[in-house]
């Protein structure tokens, strides 16, 4: 479950190809063949590959932020015209996926778009050549470079382990899709490779799984049928398209553990309300949780995600808790904050197996090292998750 690493041969081959192609005649280009740390086995997700290819792997963006940016950029490309040819201003399916990743990783400059077209600039000094295509330091190609087939044969089961072998999906309806995606642990952001026949030689299409929305399994892609970048149901794809009969899903991120928060007002029954953030500066708001009222913002905190740490030995999450002086009101009016009462909440789940583990949590003061409380839960079902982490008025 916690395999990490990459096949040395695949990485060395890509680096050798980069240097060989450029030395053959791309004068003036800056070449930095990708060096990736390698262990036995495959990477568990594409996120791990990109993190290790970055300049600062230990401070690379979190998996959760990475996925949020993926979908921000899918939305930014909605409506861009589909093309079979040059992808400088329009997009094919492979160009859509590569541009989303480049926007997410910050290797596109001066990006602009309107309803039909886009414009982007790239920094040649930060690129090299792989498979006769310009790629950034993460080896993500520009729109129009390489192909879906090249990506499949060079990444799936070579660099990243797929969630399942190729699946025959023709005529699968929405319920069958949801059941299948749940069985293999597919997550929003995962890459979907599509084929029309059994020969495994030429892969037809590529898309980004978008999750379950209003009970429907959906994906983002540049659609030749629709004629533009869009979000579309998987049922519509497999019931109405005669060329997308097989699918292989490659994980973009790890399958997260689940946990949630609950609030105990204490014996005096005073209301206890916290705003919860990702960061100490409180720029990234997650939601509010309260003992005094039911909040729409509280629903996410009943079941949030924890991703594996750097070496995949445990699931970890750090949150910032900000105590509200007065209860938050459902009418939308803001409550004043007491800026002195902020806390770190550290959460760890150490797995026993693929379903159960030991959950531990601790609360510390932001302005001091004072320990305010915590607990342990043995045999915790971290796949299904429950709101078991208890917050109280720590003051």
């Amino acid at each position: 479950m916690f395999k990490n690493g990459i096949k040395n041969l695949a990485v060395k081959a890509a680096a050798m190809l980069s240097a060989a192609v450029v030395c053959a005649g791309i004068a003036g280009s800056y070449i930095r063949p990708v060096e990736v740390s390698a262990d036995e086995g495959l990477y568990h997700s594409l996120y791990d590959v990109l993190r290790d290819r970055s300049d600062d792997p230990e401070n690379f963006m979190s998996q959760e932020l990475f996925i949020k940016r993926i979908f921000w950029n899918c939305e930014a490309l909605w409506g861009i015209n589909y093309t079979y040819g040059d992808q400088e201003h329009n997009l094919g399916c492979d160009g859509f996926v590569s541009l989303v990743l480049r926007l997410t990783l910050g290797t596109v400059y001066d990006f602009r778009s309107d309803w039909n077209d886009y414009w982007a600039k790239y920094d040649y000094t930060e690129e090299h050549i792989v498979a006769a295509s310009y790629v950034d330091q993460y080896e993500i190609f520009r729109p129009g470079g390489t192909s879906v087939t090249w990506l499949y044969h060079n990444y799936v089961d070579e660099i990243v382990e797929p969630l399942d072998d190729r699946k025959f999906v023709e005529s699968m309806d929405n319920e069958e899709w949801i059941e299948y995606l749940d069985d293999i642990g597919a997550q929003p952001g995962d890459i979907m490779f599509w084929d029309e026949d059994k020969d495994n030689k030429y892969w037809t299409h590529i898309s980004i799984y978008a999750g379950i929305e209003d009970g429907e399994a959906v994906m983002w892609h540049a659609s030749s049928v629709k004629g533009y970048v869009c979000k579309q149901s998987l049922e519509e794809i497999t019931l109405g398209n005669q060329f997308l009969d097989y699918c292989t899903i490659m994980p973009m991120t790890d399958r997260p553990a689940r946990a949630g928060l609950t609030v105990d007002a204490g014996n005096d029954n005073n209301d206890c309300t916290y705003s919860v953030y990702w960061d100490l500066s409180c720029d990234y708001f997650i939601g509010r949780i309260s003992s005094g009222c039911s909040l729409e913002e509280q629903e996410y905190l009943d079941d949030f995600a924890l991703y594996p740490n750097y070496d995949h030995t445990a699931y970890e999450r750090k949150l910032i808790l900000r105590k509200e002086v007065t209860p938050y009101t459902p009418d939308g009016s803001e409550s004043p904050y007491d800026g002195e009462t902020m806390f770190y909440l550290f959460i760890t789940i150490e797995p026993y197996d693929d379903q159960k583990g030991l959950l531990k949590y601790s609360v510390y003061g932001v302005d001091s090292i004072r320990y305010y409380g915590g607990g342990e839960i043995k045999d915790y079902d971290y796949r299904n998750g429950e709101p078991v982490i208890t917050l109280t008025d720590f003051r």
Side-chain angles (χ1 to χ4, degrees), residues 64-93:
E64 189 161 26
L65 181 56
F66 180 70
I67 289 300
K68 285 182 178 293
R69 288 182 176 177
I70 289 286
F71 289 118
W72 289 339
N73 291 312
C74 286
E75 293 281 354
L77 297 177
W78 186 84
I80 299 296
N81 281 340
Y82 180 87
T83 180
Y84 288 98
D86 175 57
Q87 298 191 41
E88 185 176 358
H89 300 300
N90 299 148
L91 292 170
C93 62

mmCIF file of all heavy atoms in Angstrom, residues 64-93:
data_model
loop_
_atom_site.group_PDB
_atom_site.id
_atom_site.type_symbol
_atom_site.label_atom_id
_atom_site.label_comp_id
_atom_site.label_asym_id
_atom_site.label_seq_id
_atom_site.Cartn_x
_atom_site.Cartn_y
_atom_site.Cartn_z
ATOM 1 N N GLU A 64 -3.784 17.804 -1.141
ATOM 2 C CA GLU A 64 -5.102 18.431 -1.182
ATOM 3 C C GLU A 64 -5.073 19.722 -1.988
ATOM 4 O O GLU A 64 -5.955 19.974 -2.827
ATOM 5 C CB GLU A 64 -5.593 18.700 0.233
ATOM 6 C CG GLU A 64 -7.045 19.137 0.281
ATOM 7 C CD GLU A 64 -7.637 18.964 1.648
ATOM 8 O OE1 GLU A 64 -6.885 18.981 2.638
ATOM 9 O OE2 GLU A 64 -8.862 18.822 1.739
ATOM 10 N N LEU A 65 -4.062 20.558 -1.771
ATOM 11 C CA LEU A 65 -3.949 21.793 -2.540
ATOM 12 C C LEU A 65 -3.675 21.490 -4.012
ATOM 13 O O LEU A 65 -4.199 22.165 -4.907
ATOM 14 C CB LEU A 65 -2.837 22.671 -1.962
ATOM 15 C CG LEU A 65 -2.614 24.021 -2.655
ATOM 16 C CD1 LEU A 65 -3.891 24.846 -2.678
ATOM 17 C CD2 LEU A 65 -1.482 24.794 -1.986
ATOM 18 N N PHE A 66 -2.872 20.464 -4.268
ATOM 19 C CA PHE A 66 -2.579 20.057 -5.637
ATOM 20 C C PHE A 66 -3.870 19.725 -6.392
ATOM 21 O O PHE A 66 -4.080 20.181 -7.522
ATOM 22 C CB PHE A 66 -1.636 18.853 -5.603
ATOM 23 C CG PHE A 66 -1.243 18.322 -6.947
ATOM 24 C CD1 PHE A 66 -0.404 19.040 -7.783
ATOM 25 C CD2 PHE A 66 -1.694 17.085 -7.375
ATOM 26 C CE1 PHE A 66 -0.023 18.538 -9.019
ATOM 27 C CE2 PHE A 66 -1.324 16.570 -8.602
ATOM 28 C CZ PHE A 66 -0.484 17.308 -9.429
ATOM 29 N N ILE A 67 -4.745 18.959 -5.772
ATOM 30 C CA ILE A 67 -6.002 18.581 -6.429
ATOM 31 C C ILE A 67 -6.916 19.781 -6.599
ATOM 32 O O ILE A 67 -7.584 19.939 -7.636
ATOM 33 C CB ILE A 67 -6.699 17.461 -5.634
ATOM 34 C CG1 ILE A 67 -5.915 16.165 -5.786
ATOM 35 C CG2 ILE A 67 -8.134 17.263 -6.114
ATOM 36 C CD1 ILE A 67 -5.777 15.682 -7.211
ATOM 37 N N LYS A 68 -6.964 20.657 -5.610
ATOM 38 C CA LYS A 68 -7.768 21.868 -5.757
ATOM 39 C C LYS A 68 -7.298 22.684 -6.957
ATOM 40 O O LYS A 68 -8.104 23.196 -7.738
ATOM 41 C CB LYS A 68 -7.713 22.713 -4.482
ATOM 42 C CG LYS A 68 -8.537 22.163 -3.327
ATOM 43 C CD LYS A 68 -8.474 23.080 -2.136
ATOM 44 C CE LYS A 68 -9.332 22.549 -0.991
ATOM 45 N NZ LYS A 68 -10.774 22.572 -1.321
ATOM 46 N N ARG A 69 -5.991 22.816 -7.127
ATOM 47 C CA ARG A 69 -5.463 23.566 -8.259
ATOM 48 C C ARG A 69 -5.754 22.863 -9.581
ATOM 49 O O ARG A 69 -6.005 23.520 -10.599
ATOM 50 C CB ARG A 69 -3.953 23.769 -8.084
ATOM 51 C CG ARG A 69 -3.615 24.771 -6.989
ATOM 52 C CD ARG A 69 -2.115 24.980 -6.870
ATOM 53 N NE ARG A 69 -1.812 26.012 -5.891
ATOM 54 C CZ ARG A 69 -0.580 26.368 -5.543
ATOM 55 N NH1 ARG A 69 0.475 25.749 -6.102
ATOM 56 N NH2 ARG A 69 -0.380 27.317 -4.651
ATOM 57 N N ILE A 70 -5.707 21.542 -9.573
ATOM 58 C CA ILE A 70 -6.068 20.792 -10.786
ATOM 59 C C ILE A 70 -7.453 21.205 -11.268
ATOM 60 O O ILE A 70 -7.675 21.519 -12.451
ATOM 61 C CB ILE A 70 -6.039 19.276 -10.506
ATOM 62 C CG1 ILE A 70 -4.613 18.764 -10.333
ATOM 63 C CG2 ILE A 70 -6.760 18.502 -11.612
ATOM 64 C CD1 ILE A 70 -3.819 18.651 -11.597
ATOM 65 N N PHE A 71 -8.408 21.253 -10.364
ATOM 66 C CA PHE A 71 -9.779 21.543 -10.776
ATOM 67 C C PHE A 71 -10.023 23.033 -10.999
ATOM 68 O O PHE A 71 -10.883 23.398 -11.817
ATOM 69 C CB PHE A 71 -10.769 20.923 -9.786
ATOM 70 C CG PHE A 71 -10.809 19.424 -9.884
ATOM 71 C CD1 PHE A 71 -10.458 18.625 -8.828
ATOM 72 C CD2 PHE A 71 -11.164 18.816 -11.082
ATOM 73 C CE1 PHE A 71 -10.461 17.247 -8.940
ATOM 74 C CE2 PHE A 71 -11.174 17.438 -11.215
ATOM 75 C CZ PHE A 71 -10.825 16.646 -10.135
ATOM 76 N N TRP A 72 -9.296 23.902 -10.319
ATOM 77 C CA TRP A 72 -9.356 25.328 -10.683
ATOM 78 C C TRP A 72 -8.968 25.502 -12.148
ATOM 79 O O TRP A 72 -9.606 26.256 -12.890
ATOM 80 C CB TRP A 72 -8.398 26.139 -9.810
ATOM 81 C CG TRP A 72 -8.806 26.294 -8.384
ATOM 82 C CD1 TRP A 72 -10.062 26.155 -7.859
ATOM 83 C CD2 TRP A 72 -7.957 26.626 -7.272
ATOM 84 N NE1 TRP A 72 -10.039 26.358 -6.498
ATOM 85 C CE2 TRP A 72 -8.774 26.651 -6.109
ATOM 86 C CE3 TRP A 72 -6.601 26.886 -7.151
ATOM 87 C CZ2 TRP A 72 -8.256 26.934 -4.857
ATOM 88 C CZ3 TRP A 72 -6.083 27.169 -5.898
ATOM 89 C CH2 TRP A 72 -6.906 27.192 -4.763
ATOM 90 N N ASN A 73 -7.930 24.781 -12.564
ATOM 91 C CA ASN A 73 -7.433 24.939 -13.920
ATOM 92 C C ASN A 73 -8.285 24.207 -14.947
ATOM 93 O O ASN A 73 -8.351 24.632 -16.112
ATOM 94 C CB ASN A 73 -5.971 24.496 -13.986
ATOM 95 C CG ASN A 73 -5.060 25.443 -13.224
ATOM 96 O OD1 ASN A 73 -5.139 26.656 -13.379
ATOM 97 N ND2 ASN A 73 -4.212 24.909 -12.364
ATOM 98 N N CYS A 74 -8.939 23.129 -14.555
ATOM 99 C CA CYS A 74 -9.943 22.526 -15.445
ATOM 100 C C CYS A 74 -11.043 23.538 -15.739
ATOM 101 O O CYS A 74 -11.454 23.721 -16.898
ATOM 102 C CB CYS A 74 -10.536 21.276 -14.803
ATOM 103 S SG CYS A 74 -9.448 19.831 -14.788
ATOM 104 N N GLU A 75 -11.528 24.195 -14.698
ATOM 105 C CA GLU A 75 -12.568 25.206 -14.873
ATOM 106 C C GLU A 75 -12.078 26.351 -15.772
ATOM 107 O O GLU A 75 -12.833 26.883 -16.590
ATOM 108 C CB GLU A 75 -12.997 25.767 -13.516
ATOM 109 C CG GLU A 75 -13.714 24.782 -12.606
ATOM 110 C CD GLU A 75 -15.174 24.596 -12.972
ATOM 111 O OE1 GLU A 75 -15.659 25.312 -13.869
ATOM 112 O OE2 GLU A 75 -15.819 23.728 -12.354
ATOM 113 N N ALA A 76 -10.797 26.737 -15.608
ATOM 114 C CA ALA A 76 -10.250 27.846 -16.398
ATOM 115 C C ALA A 76 -10.217 27.525 -17.891
ATOM 116 O O ALA A 76 -10.237 28.431 -18.726
ATOM 117 C CB ALA A 76 -8.845 28.184 -15.909
ATOM 118 N N LEU A 77 -10.180 26.232 -18.236
ATOM 119 C CA LEU A 77 -10.102 25.829 -19.642
ATOM 120 C C LEU A 77 -11.453 25.428 -20.216
ATOM 121 O O LEU A 77 -11.540 25.070 -21.392
ATOM 122 C CB LEU A 77 -9.114 24.664 -19.792
ATOM 123 C CG LEU A 77 -7.661 24.976 -19.424
ATOM 124 C CD1 LEU A 77 -6.799 23.722 -19.547
ATOM 125 C CD2 LEU A 77 -7.099 26.092 -20.296
ATOM 126 N N TRP A 78 -12.485 25.492 -19.411
ATOM 127 C CA TRP A 78 -13.820 25.114 -19.898
ATOM 128 C C TRP A 78 -14.213 25.954 -21.119
ATOM 129 O O TRP A 78 -14.059 27.177 -21.124
ATOM 130 C CB TRP A 78 -14.857 25.311 -18.786
ATOM 131 C CG TRP A 78 -16.211 24.811 -19.159
ATOM 132 C CD1 TRP A 78 -16.669 23.538 -19.065
ATOM 133 C CD2 TRP A 78 -17.286 25.581 -19.696
ATOM 134 N NE1 TRP A 78 -17.963 23.457 -19.495
ATOM 135 C CE2 TRP A 78 -18.376 24.705 -19.899
ATOM 136 C CE3 TRP A 78 -17.441 26.925 -20.025
ATOM 137 C CZ2 TRP A 78 -19.593 25.125 -20.410
ATOM 138 C CZ3 TRP A 78 -18.657 27.351 -20.552
ATOM 139 C CH2 TRP A 78 -19.710 26.455 -20.729
ATOM 140 N N GLY A 79 -14.661 25.294 -22.171
ATOM 141 C CA GLY A 79 -15.114 25.987 -23.370
ATOM 142 C C GLY A 79 -14.058 26.179 -24.439
ATOM 143 O O GLY A 79 -14.391 26.583 -25.565
ATOM 144 N N ILE A 80 -12.775 25.887 -24.140
ATOM 145 C CA ILE A 80 -11.737 26.010 -25.169
ATOM 146 C C ILE A 80 -12.031 25.010 -26.289
ATOM 147 O O ILE A 80 -12.330 23.846 -26.043
ATOM 148 C CB ILE A 80 -10.332 25.737 -24.584
ATOM 149 C CG1 ILE A 80 -10.001 26.739 -23.481
ATOM 150 C CG2 ILE A 80 -9.277 25.754 -25.688
ATOM 151 C CD1 ILE A 80 -9.899 28.167 -23.950
ATOM 152 N N ASN A 81 -11.943 25.458 -27.539
ATOM 153 C CA ASN A 81 -12.269 24.620 -28.681
ATOM 154 C C ASN A 81 -11.376 23.381 -28.760
ATOM 155 O O ASN A 81 -10.180 23.438 -28.469
ATOM 156 C CB ASN A 81 -12.143 25.405 -29.987
ATOM 157 C CG ASN A 81 -13.347 26.292 -30.245
ATOM 158 O OD1 ASN A 81 -14.415 26.082 -29.684
ATOM 159 N ND2 ASN A 81 -13.170 27.293 -31.085
ATOM 160 N N TYR A 82 -11.979 22.277 -29.204
ATOM 161 C CA TYR A 82 -11.232 21.047 -29.474
ATOM 162 C C TYR A 82 -10.546 21.170 -30.831
ATOM 163 O O TYR A 82 -11.066 21.795 -31.753
ATOM 164 C CB TYR A 82 -12.174 19.842 -29.481
ATOM 165 C CG TYR A 82 -11.455 18.541 -29.752
ATOM 166 C CD1 TYR A 82 -10.892 17.813 -28.720
ATOM 167 C CD2 TYR A 82 -11.321 18.061 -31.064
ATOM 168 C CE1 TYR A 82 -10.214 16.630 -28.967
ATOM 169 C CE2 TYR A 82 -10.642 16.881 -31.314
ATOM 170 C CZ TYR A 82 -10.084 16.173 -30.264
ATOM 171 O OH TYR A 82 -9.416 15.010 -30.512
ATOM 172 N N THR A 83 -9.368 20.530 -30.943
ATOM 173 C CA THR A 83 -8.681 20.503 -32.224
ATOM 174 C C THR A 83 -8.026 19.152 -32.447
ATOM 175 O O THR A 83 -7.595 18.492 -31.499
ATOM 176 C CB THR A 83 -7.603 21.596 -32.304
ATOM 177 O OG1 THR A 83 -6.965 21.532 -33.590
ATOM 178 C CG2 THR A 83 -6.538 21.415 -31.229
ATOM 179 N N TYR A 84 -7.963 18.743 -33.710
ATOM 180 C CA TYR A 84 -7.199 17.556 -34.083
ATOM 181 C C TYR A 84 -5.767 17.921 -34.457
ATOM 182 O O TYR A 84 -4.930 17.045 -34.619
ATOM 183 C CB TYR A 84 -7.857 16.849 -35.280
ATOM 184 C CG TYR A 84 -9.146 16.150 -34.951
ATOM 185 C CD1 TYR A 84 -10.373 16.753 -35.206
ATOM 186 C CD2 TYR A 84 -9.134 14.869 -34.396
ATOM 187 C CE1 TYR A 84 -11.564 16.102 -34.913
ATOM 188 C CE2 TYR A 84 -10.322 14.210 -34.096
ATOM 189 C CZ TYR A 84 -11.534 14.825 -34.363
ATOM 190 O OH TYR A 84 -12.711 14.188 -34.076
ATOM 191 N N GLY A 85 -5.497 19.209 -34.631
ATOM 192 C CA GLY A 85 -4.204 19.628 -35.147
ATOM 193 C C GLY A 85 -3.392 20.426 -34.155
ATOM 194 O O GLY A 85 -3.229 20.033 -32.998
ATOM 195 N N ASP A 86 -2.890 21.563 -34.590
ATOM 196 C CA ASP A 86 -2.037 22.412 -33.771
ATOM 197 C C ASP A 86 -2.771 22.846 -32.512
ATOM 198 O O ASP A 86 -3.924 23.271 -32.553
ATOM 199 C CB ASP A 86 -1.608 23.639 -34.580
ATOM 200 C CG ASP A 86 -0.809 24.611 -33.741
ATOM 201 O OD1 ASP A 86 0.222 24.186 -33.185
ATOM 202 O OD2 ASP A 86 -1.229 25.774 -33.628
ATOM 203 N N GLN A 87 -2.086 22.720 -31.356
ATOM 204 C CA GLN A 87 -2.731 23.014 -30.069
ATOM 205 C C GLN A 87 -2.202 24.305 -29.439
ATOM 206 O O GLN A 87 -2.261 24.479 -28.235
ATOM 207 C CB GLN A 87 -2.546 21.833 -29.116
ATOM 208 C CG GLN A 87 -3.193 20.555 -29.625
ATOM 209 C CD GLN A 87 -3.243 19.455 -28.582
ATOM 210 O OE1 GLN A 87 -3.517 19.699 -27.408
ATOM 211 N NE2 GLN A 87 -2.986 18.226 -29.001
ATOM 212 N N GLU A 88 -1.734 25.209 -30.274
ATOM 213 C CA GLU A 88 -1.206 26.465 -29.747
ATOM 214 C C GLU A 88 -2.302 27.323 -29.132
ATOM 215 O O GLU A 88 -2.062 28.038 -28.154
ATOM 216 C CB GLU A 88 -0.501 27.236 -30.857
ATOM 217 C CG GLU A 88 0.184 28.493 -30.359
ATOM 218 C CD GLU A 88 0.974 29.207 -31.448
ATOM 219 O OE1 GLU A 88 1.019 28.686 -32.580
ATOM 220 O OE2 GLU A 88 1.546 30.278 -31.151
ATOM 221 N N HIS A 89 -3.524 27.256 -29.672
ATOM 222 C CA HIS A 89 -4.638 28.055 -29.143
ATOM 223 C C HIS A 89 -5.872 27.216 -28.819
ATOM 224 O O HIS A 89 -6.752 27.678 -28.098
ATOM 225 C CB HIS A 89 -5.018 29.162 -30.126
ATOM 226 C CG HIS A 89 -3.903 30.114 -30.419
ATOM 227 N ND1 HIS A 89 -3.304 30.867 -29.433
ATOM 228 C CD2 HIS A 89 -3.261 30.415 -31.577
ATOM 229 C CE1 HIS A 89 -2.341 31.610 -29.958
ATOM 230 N NE2 HIS A 89 -2.295 31.345 -31.255
ATOM 231 N N ASN A 90 -5.974 26.011 -29.373
ATOM 232 C CA ASN A 90 -7.044 25.072 -29.052
ATOM 233 C C ASN A 90 -6.421 23.814 -28.464
ATOM 234 O O ASN A 90 -5.202 23.684 -28.420
ATOM 235 C CB ASN A 90 -7.864 24.736 -30.303
ATOM 236 C CG ASN A 90 -8.530 25.954 -30.911
ATOM 237 O OD1 ASN A 90 -8.706 26.021 -32.128
ATOM 238 N ND2 ASN A 90 -8.893 26.944 -30.108
ATOM 239 N N LEU A 91 -7.242 22.871 -28.018
ATOM 240 C CA LEU A 91 -6.718 21.733 -27.271
ATOM 241 C C LEU A 91 -7.276 20.406 -27.761
ATOM 242 O O LEU A 91 -8.479 20.287 -28.026
ATOM 243 C CB LEU A 91 -7.044 21.877 -25.786
ATOM 244 C CG LEU A 91 -6.339 23.010 -25.040
ATOM 245 C CD1 LEU A 91 -6.944 23.194 -23.657
ATOM 246 C CD2 LEU A 91 -4.838 22.729 -24.930
ATOM 247 N N GLY A 92 -6.410 19.399 -27.858
ATOM 248 C CA GLY A 92 -6.815 18.017 -27.951
ATOM 249 C C GLY A 92 -6.878 17.431 -26.553
ATOM 250 O O GLY A 92 -6.582 18.104 -25.558
ATOM 251 N N CYS A 93 -7.239 16.155 -26.459
ATOM 252 C CA CYS A 93 -7.405 15.560 -25.127
ATOM 253 C C CYS A 93 -6.089 15.523 -24.358
ATOM 254 O O CYS A 93 -6.048 15.826 -23.162
ATOM 255 C CB CYS A 93 -8.013 14.166 -25.245
ATOM 256 S SG CYS A 93 -6.992 12.973 -26.153
#
